[in-house]
Amino acid sequence: MKNIIITIVLIAIVGLVGYFFLGGEEDMVIEDEPLIEEEINTEEVSENTEAGIYEDYAPEKLAFADTGSVVLFFHATWCPSCRVLEKDIDKNSSEIPVDVAVLKLDYDEETELKKKYGVTTQHTLVQVDSEGKLIQKWSGGSSLESVLKNL
């Protein structure tokens, strides 16, 4: 009787291990599909010269404000509302007007710029001129459209 129970337990363990190995492999394939699609969309957007920009912050990009609007987006990867706005901007980046630049900053890393603009919470947006002087500041918004309405 003991041998039968041991055999059944071993078969169950082997079956579970096999199931997880095969199941995990299928899950990885499913997860990879959206990533591939996202990469293709990003390439298409970068070829579009009729749209504004959504890029990581760099001080030299403030010069864009000489001919348009620059918005600094203080973003945190752990912030759910930041992720919602970022997803919408990424999805609709071809809709950014040619004279608008949205520059993303890491809320946790950019301590000096947070002090300069009085940013105390993530998901804060700051419009600046080409010299980096504050024009206006606001928090929140879940869409690119909400950002553009503030300009």
Side-chain angles (χ1 to χ4, degrees):
M1 183 72 165
K2 268 186 174 178
N3 288 340
I4 293 174
I5 293 174
I6 291 173
T7 304
I8 291 172
V9 170
L10 287 174
I11 291 172
I13 291 172
V14 169
L16 286 173
V17 169
Y19 173 78
F20 284 116
F21 278 119
L22 293 176
E25 195 172 311
E26 289 175 14
D27 288 344
M28 289 175 60
V29 172
I30 291 170
E31 288 176 9
D32 284 344
E33 289 177 19
L35 293 176
I36 293 169
E37 182 179 323
E38 187 174 313
E39 290 173 12
I40 292 169
N41 289 339
T42 302
E43 290 172 3
E44 289 172 5
V45 169
S46 66
E47 293 172 7
N48 184 356
T49 58
E50 297 296 320
I53 61 171
Y54 178 54
E55 299 176 353
D56 289 334
Y57 170 82
E60 61 273 7
K61 294 177 183 177
L62 296 179
F64 189 80
D66 284 335
T67 59
S69 299
V70 172
V71 177
L72 307 179
F73 173 27
F74 286 85
H75 174 280
T77 57
W78 47 264
C79 168
S81 61
C82 295
R83 290 192 305 252
V84 169
L85 177 57
E86 180 177 37
K87 182 177 179 180
D88 190 72
I89 293 173
D90 283 336
K91 178 181 173 186
N92 298 300
S93 61
S94 63
E95 314 253 333
I96 300 173
V98 71
D99 63 340
V100 174
V102 181
L103 305 177
K104 184 171 78 168
L105 297 94
D106 186 321
Y107 176 81
D108 295 317
E109 298 291 324
E110 295 291 346
T111 54
E112 291 303 313
L113 288 174
K114 285 192 312 189
K115 287 180 191 174
K116 178 177 180 175
Y117 298 116
V119 173
T120 57
T121 62
Q122 72 283 355
H123 200 146
T124 299
L125 296 114
V126 179
Q127 184 180 5
V128 296
D129 66 15
S130 61
E131 295 176 9
K133 293 180 184 168
L134 180 124
I135 296 173
Q136 66 173 326
K137 174 175 65 171
W138 69 96
S139 292
S142 60
S143 66
L144 173 61
E145 181 180 355
S146 68
V147 173
L148 297 176
K149 282 182 180 179
N150 280 291
L151 301 180

